[in-house]
Amino acid sequence: MSDNVVKFRRPEKQPEPPKVRPPRGPMPNWLPFVVLLALALVIYFVQQAGLIG
């Protein structure tokens, strides 16, 4: 009787592909202000050089 029973084998899991880089941490709170300040300084110096209006 046990000859007619099909044995169940759990399918092998495929290994997960390695991640390209680790996830980044949260963005610091001061970073947007530094970016805005740098942008404002660039616009100011471009205006002083006479390249804009």
Side-chain angles (χ1 to χ4, degrees), residues 13-34:
K13 291 184 178 179
Q14 296 293 333
E16 293 184 16
K19 295 189 176 182
V20 177
R21 55 188 159 139
R24 297 182 200 172
M27 182 175 63
N29 291 336
W30 50 264
L31 186 62
F33 300 107
V34 171

Side-chain angles (χ1 to χ4, degrees), residues 4-21:
N4 295 335
V5 176
V6 176
K7 300 269 185 179
F8 174 74
R9 263 187 24 206
R10 184 170 283 176
E12 296 179 11
K13 291 184 178 179
Q14 296 293 333
E16 293 184 16
K19 295 189 176 182
V20 177
R21 55 188 159 139

Side-chain angles (χ1 to χ4, degrees), residues 33-45:
F33 300 107
V34 171
V35 171
L36 287 176
L37 179 64
L39 181 62
L41 289 175
V42 167
I43 292 173
Y44 173 75
F45 285 118

